[in-house]
Amino acid sequence: MKNKMREFSAKDYHFMQRAITLAKQGYFTTSPNPRVGCVLVKNGEIVGEGFHQKAGEGHAEVNALAMAGKNAQGATAYVTLEPCSHYGLTPPCAKGLILAGIKHVIAAMVDPNPKVAGNGLKMLAQAGISSQHGLLREAAEALNVGFIKQMTTGLPYVRCKLAASLDGKTAMKNGESKWITSPQARQDVQRLRAQSCAIISGADSILTDDAKMTVRWSELGVLKNSYQKENVRQPIRVIIDTKNRLTPNLALFNEHSPIILIRRTIENIHQWPHFVKQVSLPIVNTSANEQHIDLHALLQYLAKLNLNDVLIESGAQLAGAFIERDLVDELVLYQAPKLMGADSKSLVNMANIESLSQAKELNIIDLRMIGEDIRIIAKFLA
């Protein structure tokens, strides 16, 4: 498994970038599998390419080999993730590359899955196929931050979406909040939801807005072919309802897609739709001598369900609780060009942050205009 057999050329970068572009086509359909693209090149020309579309179906390498046919013999494979070496829902891709007669493999990154973790490249080496890895590694990792984190820590990658005025307010004193941000920003939130495996919210948010918490696919313009239309899915909606206040007549339950109600105790008063599951999780005592769901245990539970990317869309209390406990990886903040006043509701509540030394620090990684609003993407510093 040598990494420096030769210097990467401009053409190598070009073909790997093409593989990354292909991988993005599976952005909304591959979960819980990683997004992967593959390009097969022979005599400087692409002879086959493909991407992983859906768990249980052909991996990127399989689709590229099918396109190349006999032209795969003697080709170089550019793949955004190390070819798998184990039997899962499909046979190992490393074996497929060997049987096709591929002569050289360049992987953008080593697979963090313990079942692979370098074994795919070792399998290639044992078959006499040279390989390299590390080309455009950061770009490849960015495709699958949730998959990588789940495989290395046992927890999902958590984003927290917030929307506020320039003075950091989320609603007026009377609760009015529709709409603080522009239609373009709200459409961008739909994309955030679509790339997530699960959305976490609290009962307060659901009851206040009678929210559905679903993806409105018609707004995204990504359903360009029949395959995408058939295979996009709604993220699992995870609602923390410790006081058992939700009822089946809410708009949340009109969308027939999975819902998990997180509760202290399971109740059987209501007749819930078949797609609703009630889950009881451990309770922890806070410093204010209050009892709340163990949020770390919640994320562990979601990771065991292979929910790699989680989006928090909630009120200030729940968002602040996740942030205060260092359970959020990334903040996505939309700020509208409005000033809403001192009596308005604040962005997040973190009761135990009492001094500047306790403040949560972030690194802004993206800053741009979305419609008339500012979108800030920032990662929390460890």
Side-chain angles (χ1 to χ4, degrees):
M1 190 177 66
K2 297 179 181 179
N3 193 39
K4 292 186 178 180
M5 297 178 62
R6 61 176 175 83
E7 293 293 326
F8 294 127
S9 68
K11 287 187 176 181
D12 290 330
Y13 280 89
H14 169 76
F15 293 128
M16 185 62 79
Q17 185 57 60
R18 173 59 185 166
I20 288 171
T21 300
L22 286 167
K24 292 178 180 179
Q25 293 187 43
Y27 217 80
F28 302 119
T29 60
T30 63
S31 174
N33 284 2
R35 302 160 183 126
V36 183
C38 178
V39 173
L40 304 180
V41 177
K42 190 173 184 179
N43 299 323
E45 300 291 333
I46 295 177
V47 295
E49 59 181 27
F51 65 96
H52 183 42
Q53 298 179 340
K54 184 180 179 181
E57 297 185 2
H59 288 190
E61 298 93 327
V62 171
N63 294 330
L65 288 170
M67 178 179 174
K70 293 182 179 179
N71 284 327
Q73 180 77 35
T76 294
Y78 295 83
V79 61
T80 58
L81 184 69
E82 174 190 3
C84 61
S85 57
H86 66 291
Y87 283 88
L89 295 176
T90 58
C93 291
K95 184 176 180 180
L97 295 173
I98 293 168
L99 294 175
I102 295 295
K103 71 171 183 179
H104 186 59
V105 174
I106 299 178
M109 60 176 288
V110 173
D111 194 332
N113 186 343
K115 294 180 180 179
V116 185
N119 289 326
L121 298 179
K122 288 179 182 177
M123 183 181 290
L124 295 173
Q126 289 168 356
I129 298 173
S130 58
S131 67
Q132 295 171 270
H133 62 87
L135 178 61
L136 296 182
R137 177 180 57 82
E138 291 184 0
E141 289 176 344
L143 288 169
N144 294 300
V145 291
F147 176 76
I148 294 169
K149 187 180 178 191
Q150 203 261 51
M151 286 296 169
T152 55
T153 70
L155 293 173
Y157 190 87
V158 179
R159 295 178 177 89
C160 181
K161 167 259 170 182
L162 298 170
S165 60
L166 282 182
D167 53 347
K169 307 301 180 181
T170 62
M172 302 303 294
K173 185 179 181 181
N174 63 4
E176 182 185 1
S177 62
K178 291 186 177 181
W179 295 100
I180 296 174
T181 55
S182 65
Q184 294 91 334
R186 298 198 297 274
Q187 184 181 56
D188 198 60
V189 172
Q190 293 300 308
R191 188 171 295 276
L192 260 183
R193 289 182 181 180
Q195 74 183 51
S196 303
C197 302
I199 300 173
I200 298 177
S201 192
D204 284 339
S205 297
I206 302 301
L207 292 169
T208 299
D209 300 329
D210 199 15
K212 293 182 179 179
M213 307 305 292
T214 54
V215 178
R216 296 187 291 274
W217 285 104
S218 60
E219 296 183 15
L220 293 179
V222 298
L223 306 183
K224 298 177 181 178
N225 56 52
S226 58
Y227 182 88
Q228 288 178 320
K229 291 177 181 178
E230 292 171 2
N231 289 284
V232 292
R233 81 290 180 268
Q234 290 290 346
I236 294 177
R237 292 166 290 167
V238 181
I239 314 300
I240 300 176
D241 181 23
T242 55
K243 298 179 182 178
N244 295 7
R245 289 180 292 162
L246 299 187
T247 55
N249 63 316
L250 292 166
L252 179 77
F253 303 101
N254 291 340
E255 172 68 41
H256 288 212
S257 65
I259 294 173
I260 300 175
L261 299 180
I262 304 299
R263 333 198 88 150
R264 294 187 188 184
T265 57
I266 304 299
E267 61 93 344
N268 295 306
I269 299 173
H270 301 292
Q271 183 66 44
W272 295 102
H274 67 89
F275 51 84
V276 176
K277 180 180 181 180
Q278 297 184 77
V279 174
S280 178
L281 289 178
I283 300 297
V284 294
N285 292 315
T286 68
S287 58
N289 202 28
E290 297 177 345
Q291 289 189 327
H292 293 287
I293 291 292
D294 186 336
L295 298 180
H296 187 270
L298 170 58
L299 294 180
Q300 287 180 316
Y301 170 75
L302 296 181
K304 289 178 181 178
L305 298 179
N306 290 321
L307 302 176
N308 300 330
D309 293 272
V310 171
L311 177 65
I312 298 170
E313 281 196 73
S314 68
Q317 199 71 30
L318 184 57
F322 272 100
I323 293 171
E324 191 173 353
R325 290 161 177 75
D326 297 320
L327 296 175
V328 178
D329 299 287
E330 186 177 298
L331 182 72
V332 184
L333 171 63
Y334 300 87
Q335 280 196 293
K338 296 179 175 73
L339 300 175
M340 293 170 59
D343 290 332
S344 306
K345 295 185 179 181
S346 298
L347 194 61
V348 292
N349 293 337
M350 295 187 289
N352 295 316
I353 304 297
E354 298 177 344
S355 65
L356 191 57
S357 63
Q358 294 175 296
K360 302 297 180 182
E361 297 188 7
L362 301 96
N363 177 35
I364 295 175
I365 60 173
D366 188 80
L367 178 64
R368 69 182 66 195
M369 298 297 296
I370 303 291
E372 62 188 29
D373 304 314
I374 300 170
R375 187 190 71 185
I376 300 170
I377 300 179
K379 289 191 175 183
F380 285 86
L381 300 181

